């Protein structure tokens, strides 16, 4: 899928959100929602710790839920969700159901699984989000992996130190 001029900058903004989540005691994942022109509408870090140990409080799912409550389907079809790691099956479903039309991600789910291992707080599914999006009735444009080495650095040493 075609890249846009602002994709790398906004993906790096999602990386900054992931760093802030990690610095705040949460898992190192972050997402940003932007309109078609690249204007940031919302930012969301992982909420595992801040949401009381909720294993479903992934940054993408939390941001998709916010988007579904605050923006129309017509607005969301032109929005892009930038995320530090490829959305898992749960998050891909939430993104689809919210109506977000485009996703740009950093690290692949497979690469994340290799880094996290069998960690009980992140039992990563090796299921490409493309499979979930392709099963839908509305299109979801997908760009990624992008800046994958940078994205993987967000996870460095996190899962082995827990």
């Amino acid at each position: 899928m075609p890249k846009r001029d602002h994709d790398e900058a906004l993906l790096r903004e999602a990386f900054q959100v992931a760093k802030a989540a990690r610095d705040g005691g949460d898992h190192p994942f972050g997402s940003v929602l932007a309109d078609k022109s690249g204007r940031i509408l919302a930012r969301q870090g992982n909420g595992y710790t801040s949401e009381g140990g909720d294993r479903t409080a992934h940054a993408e799912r939390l941001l998709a839920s916010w988007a579904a409550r605050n923006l129309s389907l017509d607005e969301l079809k032109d929005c892009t969700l930038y995320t530090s790691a490829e959305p898992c099956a749960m998050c891909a479903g939430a993104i689809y159901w919210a109506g977000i039309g485009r996703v740009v991600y950093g690290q692949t789910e497979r690469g994340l699984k290799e880094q996290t291992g069998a960690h009980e707080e992140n039992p990563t599914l090796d299921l490409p989000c493309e499979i979930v999006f392709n099963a839908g009735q509305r299109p979801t444009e997908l760009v990624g992996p992008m800046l994958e080495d940078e994205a993987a650095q967000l996870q460095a040493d996190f899962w082995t130190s827990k």
Side-chain angles (χ1 to χ4, degrees):
M1 292 291 161
K3 283 178 40 177
R4 296 180 183 163
D5 291 342
H6 51 259
D7 282 347
E8 285 189 10
L10 289 172
L11 185 56
R12 284 190 171 109
E13 181 65 27
F15 295 172
Q16 291 303 314
V17 174
K19 287 176 187 172
R22 181 177 178 157
D23 292 347
D26 265 308
H27 296 167
F29 300 97
S31 296
V32 170
L33 185 69
D35 66 15
K36 192 171 189 171
S37 68
R39 182 175 60 96
I40 294 176
L41 305 173
R43 293 171 175 83
Q44 180 66 56
N46 183 276
Y48 175 77
T49 301
S50 59
E51 296 286 327
D54 181 354
R55 290 176 299 281
T56 70
H58 296 188
E60 303 95 328
R61 189 202 52 84
L62 293 170
L63 190 52
S65 293
W66 176 89
R69 288 190 309 271
N70 290 283
L71 300 167
S72 71
L73 281 171
D74 193 52
E75 291 170 303
L76 286 168
K77 70 179 174 54
D78 292 325
C79 286
T80 300
L81 188 144
Y82 295 88
T83 188
S84 57
E86 181 177 5
C88 71
M90 173 187 68
C91 292
I95 291 164
Y96 172 79
W97 282 104
I100 298 167
R102 186 169 183 265
V103 174
V104 175
Y105 69 90
Q107 184 177 26
T108 64
E109 189 80 344
R110 176 164 287 163
L112 179 64
K113 185 178 180 184
E114 290 170 6
Q115 277 188 292
T116 62
H119 198 285
E120 68 180 22
E121 290 179 12
N122 196 43
T124 305
L125 292 167
D126 186 3
L127 178 68
C129 64
E130 182 176 28
I131 293 171
V132 176
F133 294 139
N134 285 343
Q137 295 181 36
R138 73 168 72 96
T140 305
E141 183 180 335
L142 188 61
V143 178
M146 184 186 295
L147 307 174
E148 191 166 14
D149 290 340
E150 264 179 72
Q153 281 303 308
L154 298 167
Q155 307 297 324
D157 302 325
F158 182 83
W159 301 102
T160 56
S161 64
K162 289 194 75 55

